[in-house]
Structure formats: structure tokens, C-alpha cells
Amino acid sequence: MASGAAPLPQLVRLVASELVAEVCSIYVMRPGDILELTATEGLRPDAVGRTRLRVGEGIIGIVAATGKLLNLPDAQNHPAFAYRPETGEEPFISLLAVPVRRAGHTMGVLAVQNRAPRSYAEDEVEVLETVAMLLAEVLAAAGASDGAEEGVAATLPRRFPASSLVPGLAVGPVVVHGSGPAPRRLLADDPEQELARLSGAVKAMQRGLDELIAGSLPPGGNGAADPGSSATREVLEAYRLVAADAGWLRRVQDVVRSGLTAEAAVNRVTGELRDRMRRIVDPYLRERVADLEDLAGRLLAALDGHARPEVAPGAILIARRLGPADLLDWHAAGIAGVAVEEGSANGHAAIIARALGLPTIAGLRGVLESVEPEDEAVLDADEGQLILRPEVDTKAAYRRVLEARLARRAEWAGLRDRPAMTRDGTKVSLMLNVGLALELEQLDSTGAEGIGLFRTETVMLARGAVLDVAEQAAVYRRVLDAAGTRPVLFRTLDLGGDKLLPDGPPQAEDNPAMGWRSLRVALDRPGLLRRQLRALLLAAAGRALSVMFPMVATVAEYRAARALLMAEAARAEPAPKTLRVGTMLEVPALMWQLPELLAEVDFVSVGSNDLMQFLFAADRGAPALAARYDVLSPPVLDLLEELCRRAEAAGVALSVCGEMASRPLEALTLVSLGYTALSMPALGILPVKAMLGATDLRAFRPVLGAMRHSAGGAPSLREPLAAWAREHGLEV
Ligand code: PEP
Ligand code: MG
């Protein structure tokens, strides 16, 4: 059958003979949504380049517009039939036309026609669809859908706005995920032999996954730390279940039995999934499909006999979607950043990327259509954009920033084992926010003093299911083992809002962030919370245990949650050495219940992410509001100072664990207000430590006081604070 590089006239000839069709034609999409007859076997040769149809016009145009095939025994009587005399197609009655699609875009239409009225059989449809898939690769490689202007455009810089999932910068060559060669052979000579190849490859793929999960993969080629450590189990085990799912493998086998090669069958089934994917709204189901796509790529690699991609240092990975295992492979290969067309902050790949500290952006449109093999790019995950083919000056400027950051990071590394302290001696405890076991190694790599927030729901979100008591206990035990003598604050399940499980409560609310979520669900359905508390006590096994509750809005809620914990603790054998119980402060109403609250809690931790959204009535996930309200604004600072004063007077330990604490200027401001325990993502620890170490708090406090005093209704103090920091040589 045709090779991936077959010229189009040869391809149509081969397809026509393979399908015993009298006509085979290729229509290629040109600029302006015009489909041009580009190659034909059976129609008049001089119609090539002349016959043109608009998208939506005629049967070919409808197939292009809908992205769906048409199988018509009597095409000429179809209401949309558009007669083009120059083609000489009058004698051909039946028609099968399939879209040529790649990365979600229609690149053309492939059609066969016959004189006799006939409905094309399922296996013929499959062959034509498979050829269409191959043709898409050929057209993409030839840049066939690019007109002259787009040919020029392919050399110009282009900016793709995106949302930032993990901040950071990368500058380097691009590498496109899943851009391996199209299958060379489409039709198998011996389906039985092909099924055996497939089964061998499935076993190899599953072995590979087992190894990845068991953490026994060797380190990546560039010497990067092996990310396939045992700690990635949460995500990968869920993924392994998908890998073992008989449904999609059976579908691939069926397609092989119909005569395609294993590679072509995998591509076919992946294509079908992609099409179904487009109709799925539920983010978790979409995530499952992304896993399947990821697996398909691994299966193709196993069929091809090679497993790990190779990339140039600093490469930026571009993908339509990305599954967790592939991300780990790419990371091991040495990529420096990731840009995905489709991906959400809570998607599996995002969770892994965050744990790896890999700059990641999502939601770019059309980048896969624009990217060329030799392209370079700047990935600016701080601002949320990808600059493809950056101008020389732009690239140089970003490289300078990147080099400065790397140098600074190297400097900070020296701070790891020093205590966090302001220049004038105020000691601050810097702790980690953790959600996955994968992040535990950051305790040692950052020198954090403990875990100030363990988000227990993250593991479940990553696995897509609620864990039973034993599974939870195993996770919590690992956390406590890794922490050793360092303190850990376990936060109970904080599901709902933007953190949904597929089998969780249905979310038919207009405003789920303020809906039936988090502790509210836990108190209404106490079984789930009790099982979690039992798992925590089991994991503690006589060690110290600290538990905090999220989204507490009333003292009564706190009391009810604490009572459940105490009931479980009374039965725990052995009892924890110490049991500390506290609450997050995320709902502003708690500020007016402080006397009662502070009398009953051992500690309070400020969740600045939710506190901000409820204080300003500003959805924390809405990009349009991201820069509108500032944590460094007078009302927030007033609230935080008041809370600090009251907690101190009540002798209650206080910390901040929202993202606010991870930014040096904010951290400095918090310390100046009296906070001495800050918990944050790993990337913040050393920069915050550096900032504190360079600051004379005694000098800064009155400056902050004066700024607040003279704010005069200003929405933020960020500018004057940053100016002060710069004047004093502090890195903001
Ligand atoms: C917060 O709201 O600040 C917080 C730490 O909790 P989460 O981000 O998990 O909602
Ligand atoms: Mg919160």
C-alpha cells in the first residue's frame, strides 16, 4: 500500500485499485475555506486545480464542514449534490467521502465513486478513513493547506495566549507530542500475525507502565532525576486501570481483524476517540480520553520497538493533550516546558507538571497547525503565552531572564540548610504545600521545615476516585514517614467547587465554589469524613497528628467536625501521641466569630486563595479577574493583621497556606504583619528565604505602616512595596 510520502496521484491510483473504485479524488483545503480538487483517478485530469467548492457546498463541502463521512449509494440525487461538468462525473452514481482531519482541523476530503449504485461496506469505509489519516500527515508535511501567504506566515513570529498551569519560563526548540511518523503500512498481509504483534506490544507497554509505577526506570538520558519514582503511583495506578481496560484494546483488535496493521488500527481507534472527545463536556471523562490517547502513543512506540523520546536540551513540548505517563517520559527526556492545546488546572498532566515544577500553559488555539519542525519558541508560563519563532531580540531577552533565574536558583540552593530568618533575627518557619507523594522529596530538596498543608483530595483527584481507608492510610503513612520529625498539617477532603470527582455529588449549582462543597458535604455525609479521620489515625499509629478542616464558615461547623475526629480518636489504637485540631480561615464570616473559635482551636491556617475570592466576590479561577484584586491591598492587610493580633492574644498558632505566602513580597508583608509560619509550594521556599534574609524587618515595619496609613483608598500597595524592595536591593 501507499507509503507516507506517496505523491497524491499515486495515492489516488492505489486507493482506487484497493477499493475497486472507478474514481478516487483528493480535495485539499485552501485558504478562504475552499476545497480544491488536487488529485484524481477517474475524473477528468484537467479538472485538477480547477474544480473548487466552498466548505458546505456540495457533498464534498458538507463532509468538510461537518467532519463526518457520507456513504451515498445515489449521490446525484442527494439534495446537496453540486454538479461540476468539468469533472465528467455524470456516470458515477455512488460516492463515499471521508474528511481528512488532523489535530481537530479539516485539511481536505478524500472520496471514491462508482458507476453502480452501492453502499460501501464497513471495511471499505475503514480503509478509506485510514488512508485519510495518512493523507492528513502527508498534507501536513507538505504544508498543503498553507497558501502562499501562510507559507510566509510560517516563518513569522506568532504569539499564542494561554492560561498558566505552572509558572516559569523556557526557551528552546519545540518538540511535538505524537508527531511520530504515520504508519508506513496500512494493510496487513496476515491479520493473525498482526494480532500477535499487537498483543506483544500491549504486554510490553503494560510492562513499561508497571516499571514506571514501580519506579524502576533508569534515569532520563540527560541525567535528569527519575520522575518515575514510586511516589507517582496515585496518578499512574488509575492510569494503569485504563491501560488494562479491555474495551479499547478489543476495538483495536477488531480493526486489526478487518485487515489493517496494528499501527493503523491504533491510529484509527484513537481518531474515533478524538471525535467522541469533542462531544464530551464532562472534564473528567475528557481526562480519561486523554489517558487513552496517551496510551495509544505508548502502544505505537511499543509496536515500533522504541520507548523513550529524545529531545534537544531545553525543548518545549507542544501537545494537543497529554497524559501523565507521557509527561513523565518527556520530563525524563529533558523537556523544559509544556504547552498543551487542551488541558485543565486539575487534569492529570497538570497535577504531575506542578509536582515536577515544569512550566506549563494550556488553552492555546491552533498552535499545532502553525508549528514547523525546526521552530524555536519561548514559553512564558508567568504571563501565559507561547511565542513561536520569536524575534531574535525577544528570544535573547527571555534567555537573559532565564539565565538570571538559573543563577539565582543556584545561589538560593546554598540557603537550603540555613534557617529562614530576617536580617535582624526574626525566625520564620517555611513549610511546604503538598498534594502528591511525588512532592515529598521536595521536603529535603528545599529544606522546608514541615508540611503546612497536605491537601488530601489531590491524591483522589489524581486517581479519579475516593480511596478506601486502607489506601488512604497508606498514603498518609508515607507522608508522615517522609516528614519524620517535621510537622505535617493534614487538611481533610476539600472536594467540590473546581475539584470534582467523577462519582462525586452531581454539581447542578450555579455557583459551585460557594455551593455544597468541602466540609459542608463532609458534615452532611459524615461517613466519608469519618473514614478519612480513621485513616489518618491509623497512619499516625501513635505518632503526633494534626488535622485541619477546610471551608469552615461557622464555629458550629468546626465543632461538629472536631467531634467526629474526637469520636474516632477515642477508638484509635494506639492513640496518637498528640492530636492537634484546627481550621483553615477561608470564609470571611469566621473573622466575626474569633472569640469562640480561638477558644476551641489549636491552630488556624489562612487559605488566602479562597479568602481572597470570598472577600472580593471574585472567582479565583476567572482569568479576567486574576489581576483585578490584590492580596497586597489595604482591606486584606487589615484583616490579616487583625487575625494575627487576636490569635496571638489567644495563644493560638497561626499560619498562611494559600499561594500568597509563596511570593517574596507577599511573604515579607505577612512577616511584617506578625506571621511567622508560612506554607507554600516548593518553588517559593528558597526565594522567600532569600528575601527574608536580606530584609531588616525593623526598618520595613514602619514603612509598611506608613504606606497603609496613607493608602487613601488605593486598591493595592504593591507598587510602593515593590519600589521599596528594589531601593533596598531586594529581589522581588
Ligand atoms: C486556599 O484556599 O488558600 C487553600 C490553601 O486551599 P485550596 O487552594 O486547596 O482551596
Ligand atoms: Mg481553599
Side-chain angles (χ1 to χ4, degrees):
M1 191 67 190
S3 90
L8 302 189
Q10 199 181 327
L11 186 69
V12 287
R13 214 167 309 131
L14 281 165
V15 174
S17 95
E18 194 79 44
L19 291 182
V20 201
E22 282 127 335
V23 173
C24 176
S25 311
I26 295 171
Y27 295 80
V28 172
M29 187 77 80
R30 300 297 185 200
D33 283 355
I34 297 292
L35 291 151
E36 181 184 291
L37 179 65
T38 308
T40 184
E41 172 73 10
L43 297 183
R44 284 199 196 124
D46 55 4
V48 170
R50 278 175 58 207
T51 298
R52 292 171 153 235
L53 294 151
R54 284 189 307 280
V55 169
E57 184 189 12
I59 289 165
I60 301 299
I62 287 185
V63 169
T66 59
K68 294 212 173 80
L69 69 87
L70 282 174
N71 184 350
L72 305 171
D74 184 359
Q76 300 199 357
N77 277 323
H78 189 282
F81 184 75
Y83 179 53
R84 288 285 191 271
E86 74 277 9
T87 60
E89 65 180 329
E90 301 94 296
F92 305 109
I93 305 290
S94 48
L95 178 144
L96 169 63
V98 300
V100 178
R101 288 168 71 80
R102 187 172 184 271
H105 291 268
T106 300
M107 307 180 76
V109 174
L110 175 65
V112 289
Q113 291 172 270
N114 279 78
R115 283 173 200 271
R118 54 174 298 213
S119 178
Y120 293 86
E122 211 172 294
D123 57 339
E124 293 173 306
V125 173
E126 291 211 334
V127 170
L128 200 65
E129 285 191 309
T130 308
V131 175
M133 194 176 67
L134 167 69
L135 180 57
E137 299 303 324
V138 174
L139 293 179
S145 65
D146 291 346
E149 303 137 62
E150 290 188 33
V152 174
T155 64
L156 295 176
R158 279 196 65 182
R159 284 176 163 70
F160 296 88
S163 49
S164 171
L165 301 189
V166 183
L169 294 181
V171 181
V174 298
V175 50
V176 176
H177 174 63
S179 65
R184 280 184 295 278
R185 280 185 322 123
L186 295 174
L187 299 184
D189 300 328
D190 178 354
E192 283 312 314
Q193 197 186 336
E194 209 56 24
L195 280 173
R197 274 187 72 226
L198 176 66
S199 141
V202 168
K203 284 198 191 102
M205 175 190 78
Q206 277 165 345
R207 249 193 332 269
L209 277 174
D210 287 345
E211 282 170 7
L212 198 58
I213 292 166
S216 57
L217 277 181
N222 66 345
D226 175 20
S229 74
S230 58
T232 58
R233 282 198 184 91
E234 296 87 18
V235 170
L236 291 172
E237 269 170 9
Y239 179 83
R240 178 162 54 181
L241 291 181
V242 181
D245 172 30
W248 80 283
L249 285 175
R250 211 174 307 122
R251 174 75 191 122
V252 176
Q253 284 164 346
D254 286 348
V255 177
V256 169
R257 277 191 201 97
S258 78
L260 295 203
T261 59
E263 287 90 341
V266 172
N267 277 335
R268 269 298 310 276
V269 174
T270 318
E272 288 171 3
L273 280 168
R274 243 178 245 145
D275 281 348
R276 250 188 282 159
M277 165 90 195
R278 230 158 263 125
R279 295 191 287 274
I280 295 174
V281 184
D282 183 290
Y284 286 93
L285 287 180
R286 289 177 74 105
E287 198 59 38
R288 287 282 92 77
V289 181
D291 283 356
L292 280 169
E293 276 208 355
D294 189 15
L295 285 167
R298 301 177 81 76
L299 194 48
L300 286 176
L303 281 163
D304 204 33
H306 64 78
R308 185 161 282 181
E310 282 187 12
V311 298
I316 294 167
L317 180 66
I318 300 185
R320 198 149 54 77
R321 282 190 296 277
L322 204 57
D326 263 345
L327 180 55
L328 286 172
D329 270 350
W330 283 111
H331 177 264
I335 54 162
V338 181
V340 284
E341 287 200 339
E342 296 169 21
S344 65
N346 293 320
H348 290 172
I351 290 170
I352 294 279
R354 204 169 298 129
L356 296 171
L358 203 55
T360 301
I361 55 175
L364 307 88
R365 282 166 172 267
V367 63
L368 282 167
E369 278 68 55
S370 306
V371 66
E372 299 288 327
E374 304 293 313
D375 280 346
E376 289 202 324
V378 167
L379 182 130
D380 181 351
D382 290 345
E383 292 297 322
Q385 64 166 338
L386 181 87
I387 308 171
L388 196 60
R389 301 180 285 271
E391 300 92 344
V392 175
D393 287 354
T394 309
K395 195 169 74 181
Y398 271 101
R399 271 204 202 286
R400 280 195 300 276
V401 176
L402 199 57
E403 276 158 21
R405 283 192 186 181
L406 290 175
R408 220 180 303 146
R409 212 168 287 165
E411 234 171 75
W412 291 336
L415 295 175
R416 201 194 62 165
D417 299 321
R418 294 218 216 118
M421 197 179 289
T422 63
R423 215 171 70 202
D424 50 334
T426 298
K427 168 90 187 62
V428 182
S429 168
L430 301 185
M431 287 173 296
L432 271 188
N433 292 351
V434 174
L436 288 173
L438 177 65
E439 295 167 280
L440 290 172
E441 60 203 42
Q442 293 164 345
L443 270 172
D444 291 331
S445 66
T446 61
E449 287 184 27
I451 296 175
L453 168 66
F454 185 82
R455 291 181 164 106
T456 55
E457 68 281 357
T458 309
V459 172
M460 304 202 199
L461 288 167
R463 286 205 200 178
V466 172
L467 307 191
D468 65 24
V469 173
E471 289 169 323
Q472 287 189 56
V475 173
Y476 308 148
R477 199 172 295 124
R478 282 228 304 275
V479 175
L480 288 169
D481 289 349
T485 53
R486 294 169 283 207
V488 181
L489 283 193
F490 285 100
R491 179 182 68 186
T492 60
L493 282 177
D494 186 25
L495 291 167
D498 61 345
K499 303 177 198 167
L500 296 178
L501 278 175
D503 51 358
Q507 290 283 324
E509 299 171 323
D510 285 343
N511 205 341
M514 294 203 241
W516 192 57
R517 59 169 281 206
S518 193
L519 190 68
R520 299 161 187 188
V521 178
L523 292 177
D524 292 352
R525 303 259 168 90
L528 186 62
L529 179 57
R530 289 189 82 132
R531 283 195 292 280
Q532 176 170 47
L533 297 171
R534 216 170 297 150
L536 285 165
L537 289 156
L538 212 63
R543 292 179 276 193
L545 180 64
S546 297
V547 178
M548 71 176 165
F549 300 110
M551 286 295 294
V552 172
T554 65
V555 173
E557 284 176 346
Y558 171 73
R559 285 180 185 148
R562 185 175 185 280
L564 290 176
L565 174 59
M566 291 309 168
E568 291 298 329
R571 282 199 248 131
E573 190 52 57
K577 190 166 89 188
T578 55
L579 180 56
R580 296 177 73 239
V581 194
T583 176
M584 294 192 70
L585 194 136
E586 307 180 273
V587 181
L590 274 192
M591 284 300 293
W592 288 271
Q593 303 167 69
L594 288 178
E596 298 82 4
L597 188 76
L598 293 174
E600 298 182 31
V601 293
D602 295 315
F603 60 87
V604 171
S605 187
V606 178
S608 59
N609 308 334
D610 276 316
L611 184 61
M612 275 298 289
Q613 85 164 340
F614 298 129
L615 205 58
F616 285 96
D619 183 343
R620 66 193 260 187
L625 301 182
R628 196 174 184 109
Y629 306 104
D630 197 349
V631 278
L632 293 178
S633 61
V636 180
L637 302 191
D638 288 354
L639 183 156
L640 291 172
E641 185 182 49
E642 169 75 4
L643 176 63
C644 193
R645 206 174 48 74
R646 307 275 290 271
E648 220 172 84
V652 168
L654 181 63
S655 60
V656 176
C657 66
E659 306 301 309
M660 173 182 189
S662 65
R663 294 183 290 266
L665 200 57
E666 278 86 335
L668 177 61
T669 306
L670 285 166
V671 172
S672 178
L673 294 175
Y675 288 78
T676 52
L678 307 177
S679 189
M680 62 196 76
L683 279 178
I685 299 261
L686 293 174
V688 166
K689 202 185 266 190
M691 172 74 138
L692 295 177
T695 306
D696 186 335
L697 202 57
R698 265 180 308 220
F700 178 64
R701 270 206 176 110
V703 174
L704 178 64
M707 282 179 197
R708 291 173 63 199
H709 187 71
S710 59
S716 169
L717 298 180
R718 183 169 301 276
E719 260 319 304
L721 281 168
W724 182 88
R726 276 192 297 269
E727 265 165 41
H728 290 77
L730 303 174
E731 204 79 60
V732 184

